[in-house]
Amino acid sequence: MSGKKKFTIGIDYGTESCRAVLVDVQNGDLAASSVYQYTHGVITQKLPDTDIELGPDWALQHPKDYINALKRTIPKLMKESQIDSDQVIGIGVDFIGSTVIPTTSDGTPLALIDEFKDEPDAWPKIWKHHAAQEKASQLTQLAVDRFETFLDRYGGKINAEWFFPKVWEILDNSSNVYNAADRIIEASDWIVWQLTGVESRNICAAGYKALWSKNEGFPLETFFGALNPGLANVVDDKMKREITPLGEQVGELTEEAAKWMKLKPGIPVAAGILDGHAAVPAATVVEPGSMAMILGTSFAHIILSNKEFRVPGMSGMVEDGIVPGHIGYEAGQAGGGDHFAWFLENAVPSVYEKEAHKRKISIFDYLEVKAAELEPAESGLIALDWWNGNRSILVDSDLTGLMLGYSLSTKPEEIYRALLEATAFGTRKIFETFIASGVPINEIIITGGKPTNNKLLLNILANVTRMEIKLAKCLYPSALGSAMYAAVAAGEARGGYATIQEASKNMAHLKKETFPPNNNDKKTYNRLYTEYTLLHDYFGYGHNNAMKRLKNLRMNILRKKQ
Amino acid sequence: MSGKKKFTIGIDYGTESCRAVLVDVQNGDLAASSVYQYTHGVITQKLPDTDIELGPDWALQHPKDYINALKRTIPKLMKESQIDSDQVIGIGVDFIGSTVIPTTSDGTPLALIDEFKDEPDAWPKIWKHHAAQEKASQLTQLAVDRFETFLDRYGGKINAEWFFPKVWEILDNSSNVYNAADRIIEASDWIVWQLTGVESRNICAAGYKALWSKNEGFPLETFFGALNPGLANVVDDKMKREITPLGEQVGELTEEAAKWMKLKPGIPVAAGILDGHAAVPAATVVEPGSMAMILGTSFAHIILSNKEFRVPGMSGMVEDGIVPGHIGYEAGQAGGGDHFAWFLENAVPSVYEKEAHKRKISIFDYLEVKAAELEPAESGLIALDWWNGNRSILVDSDLTGLMLGYSLSTKPEEIYRALLEATAFGTRKIFETFIASGVPINEIIITGGKPTNNKLLLNILANVTRMEIKLAKCLYPSALGSAMYAAVAAGEARGGYATIQEASKNMAHLKKETFPPNNNDKKTYNRLYTEYTLLHDYFGYGHNNAMKRLKNLRMNILRKKQ
C-alpha cells in the first residue's frame, strides 16, 4: 500500500450546493469531483413543509441537505476515481459562514426536532440572513460605548452576517429555542462534529465571525450581559472556549459517517474552516504581501501580514486565522457575482437572449462580447455596487445599489458593464484602504467561482486597480484548500505535509495567462473612480441617508404584509 | 348646403407620425381619423440615401414625409366619412417644435436640393436634436451677462431644443447652408406656407421657441451679433417680424395643395401652432387656473393666467400664446412616456413577455398589473426622471437618469413603478414651482397619447400631486385642437366660432371617470418626494456634477468613434 498514491478529500459547503473533491496529495491534481445541489436551497419564503412565512431578509438552510451532500458526493468520488479508501489519508471541510446552528448536546439540530421545527430561529441561518442587522448595529454601538478592544480587529463594525448578532436574534425572537439549545455552533464545526463525534471550534470561524482572538479570547460576559442578561454566559453555556488551529486533526471518521460516505472509518478529519479562507492557500497565497481575491456570489479579499495594523472597515484580522504564524486580514464585497446574476435574471430583454441563442453562446457570454466592445466611460453610467449592501469598507448591509447616468439610448450591455466596473471600483476602494493602513499589496491572485471566467471583469479589475491580475489554476479552490488542510491534518508520517505552506507549494498552482492593465483604460478609470468615490462617500457616510430611509420604509411594508 | 353639417380638419405632425382628423364643428365628434407613419422616422444615424453619419444627439426628419402625410391621410378622411369637400370649413395644423427648416425663398427645404442634401444642417432638426446644447448654454450665458429681459420669460434658461440654438448651430457648422437659406422657418409655419402659399409666423412657436414677445418682439440685433456677427440680422434676413395670432386665417388652400389632399381649393387655413399647445383647448383648458398636462413621449404642463409671474425654470410664458387674452405658461418634462418605452425595450426579461403572452395582454399591461400590486415605497427604489435630461425646472439636457435603492430582490415591475413615480415627482416639482411663484393650479386635466391610458400612472400622479386627476375626452387631442383653431379661422359666418373659448365650450369634453388621491398613498409619497427633492437638488444644482462630467466623457468618446 505504501507505494500507492495518497489522496485527500476536500468538502466545500456553499450557498446553493456542496462540492466534494478527491485530490492527489503530491501535486494537487484533481482525481474526481462531485457536486450536490441542496434539495431545499436557500430557504427565504416558508419553513420547509409548513406555511410558516419568514420575514424579509431571512435566509436559512436545511441540515438534512448537509448530511445528504456527504451521502451523495463522496461515494461518487470513490467510484469515479476507482481508488481505494485506504489511499484517502485525510478529510477537510469548509463551509459558508457564519452559519449558526442551535443543537442538542449530541449535535442534533433543533430544526430536526418536532418541538422546534416550526420555529424559524431553530434553523441554520446562513450568511445571507440579514434580519439581524438591528442586533449588529446595537452590538456595535455597545462595543463603541464600552471601548471594547475587539472592535478594532473588525474595522470598527460588527456585521449582521456574523455569529453573535444571529445568536442574540435567536434569544430575542424565541427564548424557547435559545434555552433548548445546549450548543450553538458554526456549521463548519458542526459538520466536523458529525464526521468525528468530536465537538470543536475552528480558529477561522471563531476569529472572523465570533469575535474571538488568540490574545483576548471571546468578549467578556459583562459585554454579552449588557446586550441582554440572558446572553451573559453564552460562551460557557452554548459554545467552547478551546479553539482548534487550522490543519489540526479534530478526530477520525466515525463508523456512522464512514457508512454515509462509503469510506473506511478512522480517516483523520481536519478542523473546519470558512469557505473563502480555504481558497487562500489553494491560490498559492501563504506569505505576506500577496492578496487572494475570491470571486463568487460575493467577493472576499484576504491578505497575510506579520504586523498588526488597524484597517478601517475590514471584515476582520485574525492571528493564525488562515495560515498559522501570520495574521490574516479579510475584507469583502457583499455583492459580486450576485450582481451579474441579478442583472441576467431581471434586466436582459428577450432580443438579447434570442441573439445569444442564434450565436450559440450563453447570454452571459453574449453580454460580455457586447460590453467588451465599449470603451471605459462610453456608456456614461456609473454604479454603486451595493445591491447586497456594503461589507468593506462601510460595513453596512442597509446600503443599496445605485445606477447613475441613464439616457434613452442606454443599452443593456452598458448597464451590465457598469455593474462589472462598480464591483472593480469597490475592490479598489478596499485595496486603497489596506495600503493606506500599512498593509502592502504586492500581488493579486484571483480565485473562486463563475466570475473568474469573466475575462472582461478581469481586464476591468486590472485597469481599475492598476495591477496585473493573476489567476489560481484550480477548478474548485475552496474544496482544494480543504483537501490541503486535510493533507496537513494527515501529517508527514501518513504521506501528507507538515505545514500549509508545504502543502500549498506542492498542491497549488497559478495559470500562465495573466491580465495586465493598459495605460489608456487606467487613465479613464481613474476619472471614473473619482466619481465612484464621490458617490460612495456621499451615500455611504451619511451625507444623504436615502438608502437607509427607503430600506426602512420598505422593510416596514414587507413586515406588515406578512 | 347650409343645412349640411360643418367639419374642420386638424392635422397633427408628431415625432414618428402624422395624425389627421375630421371633426364635427358643432360638438367636436370625430368623423374620421387617419395616421401616416413617416417613412424615414426620426433620422439619428445617417442622412437618407447616404453614408453620412450624424453626430451623437442629432435628430432630423425628412420634409418629404411631411407632404406625403397630407397626401396619404386627408383623402382617407374624406373617403371614410363620405362627406363633401364643401362641408370642410377650415384646416388647422400643429407640429412638434422647435423644428427648424432652412429653405429657399419659395419655401423649398434645402435638404431637397442636390447641392445641400449631403449637409446635415440643411435638414429639419426636431426637438429631440440635442446637439445644440453648447449653443444654448452660451446663448443663456450671454443673455445673463447682458441682462437680457427675455430670459425672465423662459425661467432663466434657453433650451437646446429651441429655435435659435439650432439656427446658430447651422451657421457654425455650415455657413454654406446658412447663407443659402433665404428663410429659416418653424415646421408649423412651413407646412401652412405649403398649404396656402403664404409665409406666416405663428405666435405660439415664435413665443415659446423663438424668444419673441408681444411687448418686446425678438431679441436685438446686437444680441445676435454678439453670439456671432453673422447672426446679427437673422430676423430680418431669414424670418419675419410680423407674427400671426392663433385662430387667424393665414390664407386659403391652394390649387396644388388641394390636389394633394383631394379637397377643393379655397378652404381657410389657420395659423400653425405647436403640437402640445394645440391640445390645451381640446382639454377644455381656456381659462386661468386649470392646468393641462399633455402626456406623450415627453410631458408638457400648460396653464393660463391673467397675471405675469416669473416662474423659475419654466419653459416659457407667452401672452396670447395659446388662448388670446391670456398668458400661457408652459413647463415640461423631457422624458415621460419615453422612459417607459425605454424600459420596455431594454430591461424587461423574457419570462415577463412569456407571462404577458400567456395572459393575452400586452407587456405594458402586464407590467402595470404587477406594479399596481406594489405599495408606494415597497420597492425601496427612487429614481430621477432625467433619462432625456431635465426641461423644467432645471432646464438642463445634460442631466441623466438615476435609480437608487437596488437590491438583489429588486424586480422589473419595481423598477418600472419607480420610473412612473419619478415622472410624477417631476410633475409635482413643476406644480410646486408654479404655485410658489404665484400661479395657482386649481384643476389638472390630462390629455395626450399612450400614457393617458396608464391608470397606474394616473393614480400615482393623483397621489403624488395630491390633486384629483381629470381626463380630456378625445382620442387625438392635438389634432382636435387644430381642428378647433380651424373652426375659429373659419369664423362664425362660415359656421365656425368667433373665439377659441367658444370652440372649446362646444367641441371639447371631459371624461366622467376621474382619479382622486387617497390619503395613505399621499402620506407615503410625501416622504418619497422628500427623497426625490434631496437627490434632485444635489445632482440638479451642481453639488455633484457627476452626470455632466460622465456625459461629457461619453460624448467625447462617441465623437472620436465617428
Side-chain angles (χ1 to χ4, degrees):
Chain A
M1 197 194 98
S2 65
K4 281 193 186 168
K5 277 189 174 181
K6 308 291 186 210
F7 295 87
T8 51
I9 287 173
I11 310 173
D12 164 41
Y13 283 91
T15 304
E16 300 287 348
S17 62
C18 172
R19 163 79 58 185
V21 298
L22 184 74
V23 166
D24 186 330
V25 172
Q26 203 186 342
N27 52 20
D29 280 1
L30 187 70
S33 148
S34 170
V35 69
Y36 172 71
Q37 206 76 23
Y38 303 141
T39 309
H40 302 85
V42 177
I43 302 161
T44 59
Q45 303 293 327
K46 286 179 182 176
L47 284 185
D49 309 318
T50 73
D51 277 331
I52 297 163
E53 291 197 11
L54 299 174
D57 274 348
W58 276 63
L60 310 177
Q61 280 178 343
H62 200 312
K64 278 190 183 166
D65 284 337
Y66 301 154
I67 300 299
N68 284 336
L70 297 173
K71 294 180 181 171
R72 301 285 283 275
T73 57
I74 312 300
K76 266 195 203 160
L77 292 187
M78 301 308 290
K79 199 175 162 186
E80 197 183 312
S81 62
Q82 294 283 325
I83 70 149
D84 199 274
S85 179
D86 290 337
Q87 290 173 270
V88 179
I89 63 169
I91 296 171
V93 191
D94 64 89
F95 220 112
I96 50 168
S98 183
T99 304
V100 175
I101 313 183
T103 73
T104 62
S105 60
D106 68 355
T108 308
L110 295 189
L112 301 184
I113 297 175
D114 268 356
E115 192 184 342
F116 300 105
K117 69 178 173 38
D118 291 348
E119 298 258 19
D121 288 274
W123 290 75
K125 293 174 180 171
I126 69 165
W127 63 276
K128 263 191 182 183
H129 177 93
H130 284 154
Q133 178 60 53
E134 231 181 278
K135 296 274 171 282
S137 302
Q138 288 178 46
L139 204 152
T140 299
Q141 193 51 53
L142 186 72
V144 169
D145 294 346
R146 291 171 51 107
F147 302 99
E148 295 288 348
T149 50
F150 64 79
L151 259 187
D152 272 354
R153 299 197 310 273
Y154 301 100
K157 275 197 187 174
I158 304 310
N159 194 307
E161 294 180 0
W162 296 353
F163 190 77
F164 288 114
K166 285 169 177 158
V167 172
W168 184 12
E169 191 192 30
I170 297 175
L171 174 60
D172 214 49
N173 287 349
S174 169
S175 56
N176 204 18
V177 168
Y178 185 82
N179 293 330
D182 293 313
R183 319 305 290 153
I184 301 182
I185 189 164
E186 269 289 334
S188 51
D189 293 319
W190 179 84
I191 194 72
V192 169
W193 192 0
Q194 301 299 303
L195 292 170
T196 61
V198 180
E199 182 192 352
S200 65
R201 307 278 170 156
N202 73 77
I203 195 170
C204 180
Y208 286 104
K209 307 293 177 188
L211 312 183
W212 178 92
S213 81
K214 212 170 162 179
N215 290 330
E216 306 189 58
F218 288 107
L220 300 176
E221 287 87 339
T222 50
F223 176 76
F224 289 118
L227 293 176
N228 181 324
L231 212 60
N233 295 311
V234 60
V235 175
D236 290 316
D237 286 357
K238 315 282 185 189
M239 301 169 63
K240 275 186 87 168
R241 289 201 182 270
E242 226 172 88
I243 301 299
T244 312
L246 297 182
E248 188 155 305
Q249 175 179 332
V250 169
E252 295 182 345
L253 199 62
T254 62
E255 292 273 352
E256 191 190 3
K259 230 176 262 172
W260 295 337
M261 297 155 79
K262 298 196 179 151
L263 291 173
K264 286 186 188 150
I267 301 172
V269 177
I273 183 170
L274 295 168
D275 64 334
H277 304 70
V280 175
T284 75
V285 172
V286 286
E287 298 297 342
S290 92
M291 160 75 84
M293 202 175 148
I294 301 126
L295 310 186
T297 50
S298 60
F299 289 178
H301 316 73
I302 294 174
I303 190 157
L304 305 174
S305 176
N306 292 321
K307 294 188 196 144
E308 213 175 298
F309 294 101
R310 302 290 182 243
V311 185
M314 70 180 158
S315 308
M317 50 168 280
V318 179
E319 195 180 342
D320 302 344
I322 298 159
V323 173
H326 295 312
I327 300 168
Y329 291 83
E330 185 192 354
Q333 292 173 262
D338 259 4
H339 283 135
F340 319 140
W342 172 86
F343 179 76
L344 198 75
E345 190 175 334
N346 291 288
V348 180
S350 60
V351 282
Y352 279 63
E353 284 185 25
K354 276 175 206 151
E355 185 59 30
H357 187 75
K358 217 171 99 182
R359 297 192 187 190
K360 292 179 184 161
I361 56 178
S362 74
I363 180 71
F364 247 133
D365 288 341
Y366 180 59
L367 280 169
E368 195 182 322
V369 169
K370 298 278 283 179
E373 287 166 2
L374 298 164
E375 286 184 32
E378 184 175 345
S379 71
L381 292 169
I382 198 155
L384 289 174
D385 51 321
W386 301 345
W387 264 243
N388 198 29
N390 179 293
R391 198 173 296 154
S392 302
I393 55 172
L394 300 167
V395 199
D396 194 336
S397 65
D398 283 341
L399 294 173
T400 52
L402 174 137
M403 182 76 63
L404 177 152
Y406 286 111
S407 77
L408 291 175
S409 54
T410 298
K411 304 307 292 171
E413 62 270 23
E414 295 182 314
I415 302 173
Y416 175 64
R417 185 171 175 126
L419 279 171
L420 295 177
E421 290 170 345
T423 56
F425 294 139
T427 298
R428 176 161 166 185
K429 188 65 54 193
I430 290 168
F431 285 9
E432 288 190 351
T433 308
F434 270 111
I435 292 165
S437 306
V439 184
I441 302 175
N442 305 323
E443 189 184 41
I444 302 175
I445 296 163
I446 298 275
T447 183
K450 265 191 202 165
T452 60
N453 301 319
N454 188 327
K455 291 195 177 185
L456 178 59
L457 174 64
L458 299 176
N459 269 322
I460 290 172
L461 272 170
N463 288 315
V464 167
T465 63
R466 300 161 299 171
M467 289 186 74
E468 185 177 22
I469 299 290
K470 299 174 188 173
L471 283 166
K473 190 182 176 184
C474 69
L475 281 175
Y476 312 114
S478 295
L480 173 60
S482 286
M484 288 164 60
Y485 285 108
V488 179
E492 282 181 298
R494 292 193 190 227
Y497 297 101
T499 64
I500 190 70
Q501 282 94 335
E502 280 297 306
S504 179
K505 215 160 91 182
N506 289 286
M507 297 172 77
H509 310 281
L510 292 182
K511 284 188 184 169
K512 274 189 192 150
E513 185 187 18
T514 68
F515 293 80
N518 81 52
N519 279 324
N520 268 341
D521 286 9
K522 262 166 54 181
K523 269 186 218 158
T524 311
Y525 278 131
N526 273 341
R527 297 180 71 166
L528 294 181
Y529 181 68
T530 307
E531 302 297 345
Y532 178 88
T533 297
L534 274 173
L535 294 169
H536 175 281
D537 293 355
Y538 179 66
F539 290 107
Y541 289 125
H543 301 292
N544 181 344
N545 268 329
M547 290 167 180
K548 289 158 177 286
R549 289 188 298 265
L550 290 168
K551 178 152 186 180
N552 193 33
L553 282 172
R554 172 169 180 248
M555 285 302 166
N556 283 333
I557 292 169
L558 294 182
R559 277 187 212 105
K560 232 175 40 198
K561 274 204 167 176
Q562 277 200 291
Chain B
M1 197 195 100
S2 64
K4 280 193 187 169
K5 278 189 176 182
K6 308 288 187 215
F7 296 86
T8 51
I9 287 174
I11 309 173
D12 165 40
Y13 283 91
T15 305
E16 300 287 349
S17 62
C18 173
R19 162 79 59 185
V21 297
L22 184 75
V23 166
D24 186 329
V25 172
Q26 200 184 350
N27 52 21
D29 280 359
L30 187 69
S33 147
S34 171
V35 69
Y36 171 72
Q37 207 75 25
Y38 302 141
T39 308
H40 303 84
V42 177
I43 301 161
T44 59
Q45 304 292 329
K46 286 179 183 175
L47 285 187
D49 310 318
T50 73
D51 277 331
I52 297 164
E53 291 198 11
L54 299 174
D57 274 350
W58 275 64
L60 309 177
Q61 281 179 342
H62 201 311
K64 279 192 183 163
D65 283 337
Y66 302 154
I67 301 299
N68 284 335
L70 298 173
K71 294 180 180 171
R72 301 286 282 275
T73 57
I74 311 300
K76 265 196 203 159
L77 292 186
M78 301 308 289
K79 198 175 164 189
E80 197 184 311
S81 62
Q82 294 284 324
I83 71 152
D84 201 276
S85 180
D86 290 336
Q87 291 173 270
V88 179
I89 62 168
I91 296 172
V93 191
D94 64 89
F95 220 111
I96 50 169
S98 181
T99 303
V100 175
I101 314 183
T103 74
T104 61
S105 60
D106 68 356
T108 307
L110 295 190
L112 301 185
I113 297 175
D114 267 356
E115 191 185 341
F116 300 105
K117 70 179 171 38
D118 291 347
E119 298 257 20
D121 288 274
W123 291 74
K125 295 176 179 170
I126 68 165
W127 63 276
K128 263 189 182 186
H129 178 92
H130 283 155
Q133 177 61 52
E134 233 182 276
K135 294 275 170 283
S137 302
Q138 288 178 46
L139 203 153
T140 299
Q141 194 50 53
L142 185 73
V144 168
D145 294 346
R146 291 170 51 105
F147 302 98
E148 295 288 347
T149 51
F150 63 78
L151 260 186
D152 273 355
R153 299 197 310 272
Y154 301 99
K157 276 197 186 176
I158 303 311
N159 195 308
E161 295 179 1
W162 296 353
F163 189 77
F164 288 114
K166 286 170 178 157
V167 172
W168 185 11
E169 191 192 29
I170 297 173
L171 174 59
D172 214 47
N173 288 348
S174 168
S175 55
N176 204 17
V177 169
Y178 185 83
N179 293 331
D182 294 313
R183 318 307 289 154
I184 301 182
I185 189 165
E186 268 291 334
S188 50
D189 292 319
W190 180 82
I191 193 74
V192 169
W193 192 1
Q194 301 301 303
L195 292 171
T196 61
V198 179
E199 182 192 352
S200 65
R201 307 278 172 156
N202 72 77
I203 195 169
C204 180
Y208 286 105
K209 307 293 178 189
L211 311 183
W212 178 92
S213 82
K214 211 169 161 179
N215 290 331
E216 306 190 45
F218 288 105
L220 301 176
E221 286 88 340
T222 51
F223 176 76
F224 289 118
L227 293 175
N228 182 323
L231 213 60
N233 295 313
V234 60
V235 175
D236 290 316
D237 286 356
K238 315 282 185 188
M239 301 168 62
K240 274 186 87 164
R241 291 199 181 272
E242 226 172 90
I243 302 298
T244 314
L246 298 182
E248 188 156 306
Q249 176 179 329
V250 169
E252 295 182 347
L253 200 61
T254 62
E255 291 274 352
E256 188 189 4
K259 232 178 258 171
W260 296 336
M261 298 154 78
K262 298 195 179 152
L263 291 173
K264 285 186 189 151
I267 301 172
V269 177
I273 182 171
L274 295 167
D275 64 334
H277 303 71
V280 175
T284 74
V285 172
V286 285
E287 298 298 341
S290 90
M291 160 75 85
M293 201 174 149
I294 301 127
L295 310 186
T297 50
S298 60
F299 289 180
H301 316 73
I302 293 174
I303 190 158
L304 305 175
S305 176
N306 291 323
K307 293 188 195 142
E308 213 175 298
F309 294 100
R310 300 292 182 242
V311 185
M314 69 179 162
S315 308
M317 51 169 281
V318 179
E319 196 179 342
D320 303 343
I322 300 160
V323 173
H326 295 312
I327 299 167
Y329 291 81
E330 185 193 353
Q333 292 172 263
D338 257 3
H339 282 135
F340 319 140
W342 172 87
F343 180 76
L344 198 77
E345 189 174 336
N346 291 288
V348 181
S350 61
V351 283
Y352 279 63
E353 284 185 24
K354 278 176 201 148
E355 184 60 30
H357 187 76
K358 217 171 99 183
R359 297 191 186 192
K360 293 177 182 160
I361 56 179
S362 75
I363 181 70
F364 247 134
D365 288 342
Y366 180 60
L367 279 170
E368 193 181 324
V369 168
K370 298 278 284 180
E373 287 166 3
L374 298 164
E375 288 183 28
E378 184 175 344
S379 71
L381 293 169
I382 199 155
L384 289 175
D385 51 322
W386 301 345
W387 263 244
N388 199 29
N390 179 292
R391 197 172 298 155
S392 302
I393 53 172
L394 300 168
V395 199
D396 193 337
S397 65
D398 282 340
L399 294 173
T400 52
L402 174 138
M403 181 75 63
L404 177 151
Y406 286 110
S407 77
L408 292 175
S409 53
T410 299
K411 306 304 292 172
E413 62 271 24
E414 295 182 314
I415 303 172
Y416 176 62
R417 185 173 175 125
L419 279 172
L420 295 177
E421 289 170 346
T423 56
F425 294 139
T427 298
R428 177 162 165 185
K429 187 69 48 197
I430 290 168
F431 285 10
E432 288 189 352
T433 306
F434 270 113
I435 292 164
S437 305
V439 183
I441 303 175
N442 305 322
E443 190 185 41
I444 301 175
I445 296 163
I446 298 275
T447 185
K450 265 192 200 166
T452 61
N453 301 317
N454 188 327
K455 291 196 176 184
L456 178 59
L457 174 64
L458 299 177
N459 269 320
I460 290 172
L461 273 170
N463 288 315
V464 166
T465 61
R466 299 161 301 170
M467 289 185 76
E468 186 178 22
I469 298 290
K470 299 175 188 173
L471 283 166
K473 189 183 177 184
C474 69
L475 280 176
Y476 312 114
S478 295
L480 172 61
S482 287
M484 288 164 60
Y485 285 108
V488 179
E492 281 180 301
R494 292 194 189 225
Y497 298 101
T499 65
I500 191 70
Q501 282 95 332
E502 280 297 307
S504 180
K505 216 161 91 182
N506 290 287
M507 297 173 75
H509 312 280
L510 292 181
K511 284 188 185 170
K512 273 188 192 152
E513 185 187 18
T514 67
F515 294 80
N518 81 52
N519 279 324
N520 268 340
D521 285 8
K522 260 166 55 179
K523 270 185 216 159
T524 310
Y525 278 131
N526 272 340
R527 297 181 70 168
L528 294 181
Y529 181 68
T530 307
E531 302 297 345
Y532 177 89
T533 298
L534 274 172
L535 295 169
H536 175 280
D537 293 355
Y538 179 65
F539 289 107
Y541 288 124
H543 301 293
N544 182 343
N545 268 331
M547 291 167 179
K548 289 159 176 286
R549 288 188 298 265
L550 290 168
K551 179 154 184 179
N552 194 33
L553 281 173
R554 174 169 179 250
M555 285 302 169
N556 283 334
I557 292 168
L558 294 183
R559 276 186 212 108
K560 229 175 41 196
K561 274 202 165 179
Q562 276 198 294

